Amino acid sequence: QRQMCIRDRFLTRSYHTSLLREGRAVARLLSTAADSAAAVLAEFKRENPHLAGAYLTGDEESLPPPVRGEKVEPVGLRAGEELISDGELYHLTLPVPGPASPPEAPKVAGKLLLSYSSEPLRRALEEQTRWGLILGALAILLSAGLALLITRRLSAPLEALHRGIERLAAGNYAHRIELRRKGFFGRWASAVNG
């Protein structure tokens, strides 16, 4: 299993949280509209392009397929809720509370199974990876340019000192090293010029 970096985990956690939030909203809608559950599910399917399937237990028209895969434990998962990933889809199972049940002790009228494509998450991770590579390449180029600039800035006075010392070594004692710097290299040139 591939180790996820922090940004991947954050993006995945955000996607799981949005699936839970959306699924809970549909379950609440179904609890208040029990007589028109098929219409609610059909409208939800039309509005959500990444929804591969929506099933409500107790509805004779749609029986959920068996769900197999790796259980996912997102933050905020409540009792009776389950999120399973089979690599292609995320299967979210939620209890649907009965229409007249109190919030503190809800009676479950059925279960809702929503199957979402993992494609949006995969695309978002690829997009983040692509931007990470682009920004990394830009940082490397910027660092290389800055290193080249600093190297040239340091090597130019060293070259001038080197040429001046070579001329002095060759016997040209009248030669003066021309460095108009006040720092370390300027002091060094003054000392050599004597």
Side-chain angles (χ1 to χ4, degrees), residues 28-110:
R28 277 192 303 276
L29 256 173
L30 288 171
S31 72
T32 60
D35 53 338
S36 59
V40 169
L41 286 178
E43 183 179 339
F44 184 63
K45 284 180 187 178
R46 271 193 312 276
E47 291 176 359
N48 194 330
H50 301 293
L51 187 68
Y55 309 94
L56 182 64
T57 58
D59 183 6
E60 294 82 28
E61 296 176 19
S62 62
L63 294 173
V67 177
R68 293 193 177 116
E70 182 180 332
K71 194 170 187 175
V72 180
E73 300 275 342
V75 175
L77 196 66
R78 297 177 186 161
E81 297 177 343
E82 184 177 56
L83 184 61
I84 296 176
S85 172
D86 64 9
E88 300 275 328
L89 298 172
Y90 280 100
H91 305 281
L92 176 61
T93 306
L94 299 158
V96 177
S101 63
E104 59 275 352
K107 294 181 183 175
V108 177

Side-chain angles (χ1 to χ4, degrees), residues 110-127:
K111 287 214 176 240
L112 173 65
L113 173 65
L114 300 173
S115 296
Y116 290 91
S117 170
S118 60
E119 186 67 19
L121 178 61
R122 188 188 60 75
R123 280 193 198 140
L125 289 171
E126 284 177 357
E127 184 73 16

